[in-house]
Amino acid sequence: MRLVESRLTLTVSYALLALFAFIALFPIALLVLNSLKPAAQIVQNPLALPETIRWENFTNAWNHARFSTTFLNSFIITGTTIVLVCTTSSLTAYVIARRKIKSWKILTFYLLATTTAPIQLYIFPLYFGFAKLGLINNIFGVALIYTALYSPFAVMLLRTYFIAVPKELEEAAIVDGATHWQVFWRVMLPIVSPGILTVALIIGLNSWNEFLIAITFLQKQENVTAVIAFFLLSGQYSSDWGEIMAAALIIVIPVVALFVFMQKRFIEGMAGGSVKG
Amino acid sequence: MHRLYIVPTMIINIVIVAIPALLTIVLAFYNWDGISTPTFAGLDNFRALAADRVFWTSLGNNLIWTLLFLTVPILMGLLAASMLLIVRRGSNLFQVVYFIPVVIATAITARVWQGMIYSPVTGVFGILQKYGMPIPNPLTQPHLALFGVATVDLWHWWGFLCVIFFAALRQVPQEQIEAARLEGATYFQMMRYVLLPGIWPTITLMMIMTVIWSFLAFDFVYIMTQGGPAFSSELMSTLAYRKAFYDLNVGQAAAAALVISFFGLVGTYFYVRIQTREGEQ
């Protein structure tokens, strides 16, 4: 479909789109370019191509940011969060989508309200409570907070997938003598599994990138996530921007690669709850 | 039986969100340093906030922030999304490129802009200065710091809106677009009479979310300026955080959190109304 057929319109449109693409890519290009340079060359000109490629930036970044430990922390936190969110939210989403309990409306209302509640509304008592229980620096404690934080979103998104499943399937299974649990586990879950994958991707991305909770609840160097290790490296331990950009690139590459590879799912999931027809 | 299904979600949510949120409401009326026994303070925390110049600066900054995000990224998103609709070919590639900044961690985005763009020593601004364009580092200028940070958040954010608007635009009925085209509508007429009305519900929802989200903005200010210089870029969220964890004045932090929540609540009311209305259809 073309809105207006003239060639001029097309040219202008492409020019504008290219300009927007340039804006989006320019800082990323600087990140990649300067991760390859020694610090002195960055000071000279951050825009120039590297005269000599300095691969040590990456080994230095890896060691100074303790990525072998901190990446593992990030993986454990992200993995735990994904598992907790997907299991608990699919149960709740099913109940809400099929209105299995009388209070489904209040429940929906409550969960929608918590998606928009500011973290500041609960982080202070939560922090001092965690401190009392000795849960500061506990990566599973952080995963639990992420689960609470992200599960309302997951419930709302999964709900739309459950609603799309024809009611007849469920009824047929019950006629065949399946228990409620079997209906959920054997009939519903396999059908909504694409939705669960989408939720896993978005929740994974959010927990991997999260900053405020991680910086507050993880304070020992060996317990922080990769993103916080990068933040500490760039703020306190290094002024070598080549090394800092190398550390950034190490964190960004897997995320961007996964995003480009699974873009349809990411975009569908992010836009899922937002497009009103 | 099905009641049991919601138990795990609810337990986690109540322990992590609901109970601490109620405690925050209570703490706003107490003096507490996080360690000793809290003492009742009545409205003292709110009075102290009202007398604090920084509180008013940060409230003003939050309003500026909200206005910026209600206009700039939404206009950019709409413009780019409508262009994607016009060209069609390559639209998916552009869409993916615009979305990349959204998936990069805020801490990394902040440092790239700080070191590679704004810095007069290692950044592009330094080069421009060398070539005789005296652009100061906005993060060190009291009247520019907030905008310097907001620019970074805008860069990180607008692609999300573009992708959502593009998805909505593709759902506008084809016949309407065809009809307008046959009658020789220009781009602006097409936007004004066909496309914008077609995606208005999505735009409204995004504007409500913008109001809610802009009072939650934290990462970029905390990382890039810590609210400085001289509190000029302080937001309500960073103010509350500083009061709780640096000044150990948890009561005042809780009071500030209630003020943030009040603004969020207005947006939340409309958000919940729109979302549940759709759920009943």
Side-chain angles (χ1 to χ4, degrees), chain A residues 102-272:
Chain A
K102 267 194 203 134
S103 50
W104 69 272
K105 234 178 178 173
I106 303 166
L107 186 64
T108 315
F109 189 85
Y110 172 80
L111 289 174
L112 281 173
T114 50
T115 40
T116 58
I119 294 183
Q120 274 77 11
L121 185 59
Y122 48 88
I123 192 176
F124 307 127
L126 190 64
Y127 175 83
F128 292 106
F130 265 46
K132 265 237 165 77
L133 297 171
L135 285 170
I136 304 293
N137 286 319
N138 186 321
I139 53 177
F140 293 102
V142 170
L144 198 65
I145 301 177
Y146 288 167
T147 306
L149 210 59
Y150 301 139
S151 53
F153 161 80
V155 170
M156 290 307 142
L157 189 58
L158 283 174
R159 187 194 63 135
T160 59
Y161 284 88
F162 277 112
I163 287 177
V165 180
K167 276 218 167 83
E168 292 75 27
L169 276 176
E170 232 174 318
E171 284 155 11
I174 290 177
V175 170
D176 286 346
T179 63
H180 285 302
W181 178 251
Q182 282 168 332
V183 170
F184 172 74
W185 185 251
R186 307 250 174 199
V187 181
M188 299 301 274
L189 266 197
I191 302 176
V192 299
S193 55
I196 294 179
L197 181 60
T198 306
V199 165
L201 279 172
I202 291 171
I203 301 303
L205 176 75
N206 285 343
S207 350
W208 185 265
N209 286 345
E210 206 280 337
F211 181 78
L212 172 54
I213 301 284
I215 191 86
T216 309
F217 286 83
L218 301 172
Q219 297 164 345
K220 275 197 204 142
Q221 263 198 28
E222 62 266 27
N223 288 321
V224 298
T225 60
V227 166
I228 301 301
F230 164 81
F231 171 71
L232 296 176
L233 175 84
S234 57
Q236 300 166 7
Y237 302 116
S238 177
S239 54
D240 177 343
W241 278 94
E243 181 188 330
I244 294 171
M245 289 301 106
L249 195 60
I250 295 173
I251 300 178
V252 163
I253 278 182
V255 174
V256 172
L258 189 69
F259 162 67
V260 172
F261 187 62
M262 313 276 286
Q263 27 141 325
K264 267 235 169 84
R265 261 179 207 295
F266 266 106
I267 289 176
E268 204 184 275
M270 293 262 202

Side-chain angles (χ1 to χ4, degrees), chain B residues 29-40:
Chain B
F29 300 95
Y30 279 81
N31 278 323
W32 193 38
D33 56 9
I35 305 151
S36 51
T37 320
T39 53
F40 187 70

Side-chain angles (χ1 to χ4, degrees), chain B residues 23-30 41-46 250-252 254-256 258:
Chain B
L23 284 174
T24 303
I25 297 176
V26 175
L27 277 174
F29 300 95
Y30 279 81
L43 290 172
D44 282 2
N45 288 322
F46 294 95
V250 185
Q252 265 190 42
L258 288 196

Side-chain angles (χ1 to χ4, degrees), chain A residues 1-5 9-10 12-14 16-18 20-21 23-28 30-31 34 42-47 84 88-89 91-92 94-95 99-101 104-105 107-128 130 144-145 147-149 151-152 155 159-160 163 180-181 184 205 209-212 215-216 227 230-231 234-235 241 244-245 247-248 251-252 255-256 259-260 263 266-267 270-271 273-277, chain B residues 1-3 5-6 8-10 12-18 20-21 23-24 27 32 34 76 79-80 82-89 92 94-101 103-108 111-117 121-124 127 130 155 158 160 163-164 167-168 171 174 177-178 181 185-187 190 195 201-202 205-206 209 212 216 218-219 222-223 237 240-241 244-245 248 250 253-254 257-258 260-261 268 271-272 274-276 278-280:
Chain A
M1 178 251 334
R2 295 270 158 77
L3 297 184
V4 193
E5 277 176 346
T9 320
L10 263 188
V12 171
S13 303
Y14 272 120
L16 270 170
L17 289 173
F20 281 127
I23 294 173
L25 290 177
F26 179 65
I28 300 170
L30 283 174
L31 156 63
N34 289 302
I42 300 177
V43 174
Q44 234 167 41
N45 184 354
L47 289 168
L84 282 175
T88 62
S89 300
L91 286 165
T92 305
Y94 171 62
V95 171
R99 303 181 185 177
K100 292 286 186 191
I101 55 172
W104 69 272
K105 234 178 178 173
L107 186 64
T108 315
F109 189 85
Y110 172 80
L111 289 174
L112 281 173
T114 50
T115 40
T116 58
I119 294 183
Q120 274 77 11
L121 185 59
Y122 48 88
I123 192 176
F124 307 127
L126 190 64
Y127 175 83
F128 292 106
F130 265 46
L144 198 65
I145 301 177
T147 306
L149 210 59
S151 53
V155 170
R159 187 194 63 135
T160 59
I163 287 177
H180 285 302
W181 178 251
F184 172 74
L205 176 75
N209 286 345
E210 206 280 337
F211 181 78
L212 172 54
I215 191 86
T216 309
V227 166
F230 164 81
F231 171 71
S234 57
W241 278 94
I244 294 171
M245 289 301 106
I251 300 178
V252 163
V255 174
V256 172
F259 162 67
V260 172
Q263 27 141 325
F266 266 106
I267 289 176
M270 293 262 202
S274 308
V275 176
K276 296 269 146 290
Chain B
M1 175 57 195
H2 280 119
R3 211 163 285 178
Y5 284 26
I6 67 166
T9 302
M10 289 316 281
I12 295 174
N13 202 283
I14 287 171
V15 169
I16 304 286
V17 179
L23 284 174
T24 303
L27 277 174
W32 193 38
M76 280 174 81
L79 181 65
S82 60
M83 297 292 157
L84 289 176
L85 196 66
I86 291 174
V87 303
R88 270 297 152 118
R89 192 173 300 160
N92 195 47
F94 281 115
Q95 178 175 241
V96 168
V97 167
Y98 298 161
F99 207 78
I100 290 176
V103 303
I104 295 179
T106 50
I108 289 171
R111 288 296 191 228
V112 170
W113 277 78
Q114 253 181 320
M116 298 293 102
I117 293 176
V121 184
T122 55
V124 174
I127 303 258
K130 264 188 228 162
W155 176 82
W158 78 275
F160 176 80
V163 164
I164 285 183
Q171 288 176 12
Q174 192 69 39
I177 296 173
E178 279 300 308
R181 202 174 57 99
T186 64
Y187 169 77
M190 184 73 88
L195 297 179
T202 303
L205 182 70
M206 283 300 109
M209 293 313 290
I212 297 171
L216 311 187
F218 176 87
D219 294 10
Y222 181 83
I223 297 168
S237 58
Y241 194 85
F245 295 125
L248 289 178
V250 185
L258 288 196
I260 301 175
S261 307
T268 305
Y271 171 69
V272 171
I274 286 185
Q275 291 284 358
T276 47
E278 173 235 18
E280 278 160 28

